[in-house]
Amino acid sequence: MAFLNVIIEKIPTLEQVLDEIENADVVLVFEIKTDKTAIVDKLKSTLTQRGMLAQTVAITFDDSGAMLDKMKAVLPEMPVARLEGLGGSPLSVDDFAEILELLGRGNAALDKSYSHGGGSLALNRYLRDRGMVGWYWTFADEAAVRVGESLGYLGITNNCAETYARRERFVNGAANQSFARLALGDAVSVRVTDYSGDVQMRDGSVVYCRRTTRGWRVIARVQTDRGYMYTQSFAVEKSA
């Protein structure tokens, strides 16, 4: 599933955007650029009519907290993030307690500027250790995306989404495998799915192996240009 980030400043354009993605495997990241909270009511009615509430998340610069309060009251089921990062709203680790309280009150995540120097390894660790994924903007090109990935950032808003088309997204154990013996380090078949949906069969290396009555429960990993990717555990049968 892809994420489509569209800045919408006039409500009528929302219908046109939704026409494009209504039957597509994408999530709309709806950036609220106004301070008029009535937009939330319009957003709910439009998405409910189309059955697209689960296909949308929202982000907003919201210094007063009014928009987050409205989102929580009207669309509590929709993921929402508070945008931070320009000169008027810097955020350091020292400010974290205050920001954490704001995010908790608004049931929101944090969408922090990387390009304006607002992201940091310390901040990302503080978020991660409290069960929150760091989300950062905006990475201009593939080189910048790779820097963000190397820092451990999972949420990366970028201007080069097409570069992800052939990059690995999921790794799953292949079905119907059997071996006479199986141990750590052995090769098993895995299915590697890229962001375009194409699947390749590759050899994965066993990193977890537990005996069962019919064979083994296995976790395998494959090497990618971004490091190792791991499967969930899957069943491998013992052959005669």
Side-chain angles (χ1 to χ4, degrees):
M1 180 176 289
F3 285 77
L4 178 65
N5 193 11
V6 179
I7 298 175
I8 298 177
E9 299 188 3
K10 296 180 180 179
I11 285 293
T13 62
L14 175 59
E15 298 287 354
Q16 298 171 355
V17 173
L18 297 182
D19 285 342
E20 292 294 323
I21 70 169
E22 188 166 3
N23 296 310
D25 188 22
V26 300
V27 170
L28 172 66
V29 182
F30 185 80
E31 182 171 345
I32 299 173
K33 303 290 285 186
T34 179
D35 59 1
K36 298 177 180 178
T37 59
I39 194 173
V40 179
D41 299 304
K42 174 64 175 178
L43 183 63
K44 179 177 181 178
S45 63
T46 301
L47 295 176
T48 299
Q49 182 179 4
R50 290 175 175 257
M52 296 178 64
L53 281 172
Q55 202 175 337
T56 309
V57 303
I59 55 178
T60 178
F61 287 104
D62 185 23
D63 291 332
S64 71
M67 193 64 71
L68 290 180
D69 289 343
K70 181 74 170 185
M71 287 292 299
K72 185 177 180 180
V74 175
L75 285 169
E77 70 274 37
M78 181 178 292
V80 61
R82 185 178 190 268
L83 287 158
E84 286 262 2
L86 296 176
S89 57
L91 174 61
S92 68
V93 172
D94 293 338
D95 302 317
F96 187 74
E98 178 182 350
I99 290 298
L100 188 64
E101 180 181 358
L102 184 149
L103 298 177
R105 189 179 75 239
N107 194 30
L110 181 66
D111 192 356
K112 181 66 180 168
S113 171
Y114 163 81
S115 53
H116 291 87
S120 70
L121 290 175
L123 174 61
N124 199 56
R125 185 176 67 252
Y126 274 38
L127 291 167
R128 181 201 63 202
D129 291 349
R130 289 157 179 82
M132 302 176 72
V133 173
W135 189 359
Y136 303 92
W137 56 272
T138 298
F139 295 80
D141 51 34
E142 187 172 8
V145 167
R146 290 185 181 277
V147 171
E149 291 173 339
S150 72
L151 294 172
Y153 297 164
L154 295 182
I156 297 179
T157 300
N158 63 83
N159 293 332
C160 55
E162 69 280 357
T163 66
Y164 276 88
R166 298 304 174 193
R167 298 177 75 174
E168 298 90 346
R169 185 183 180 197
F170 298 123
V171 179
N172 302 103
N176 302 319
Q177 298 186 71
S178 62
F179 297 87
R181 298 180 182 84
L182 195 63
L184 296 179
D186 287 348
V188 292
S189 294
V190 298
R191 293 167 47 90
V192 180
T193 306
D194 64 24
Y195 277 85
S196 70
D198 289 343
V199 178
Q200 290 185 338
M201 300 301 297
R202 290 171 56 181
D203 285 340
S205 177
V206 175
V207 296
Y208 171 83
C209 187
R210 177 176 61 84
R211 283 300 305 266
T212 66
T213 56
R214 300 185 61 181
W216 301 269
R217 293 297 299 182
V218 171
I219 296 174
R221 71 181 185 185
V222 293
Q223 179 73 56
T224 76
D225 62 354
R226 292 178 290 154
Y228 288 112
M229 294 184 68
Y230 292 78
T231 69
Q232 297 292 320
S233 68
F234 61 98
V236 175
E237 293 192 0
K238 181 176 175 58
S239 59

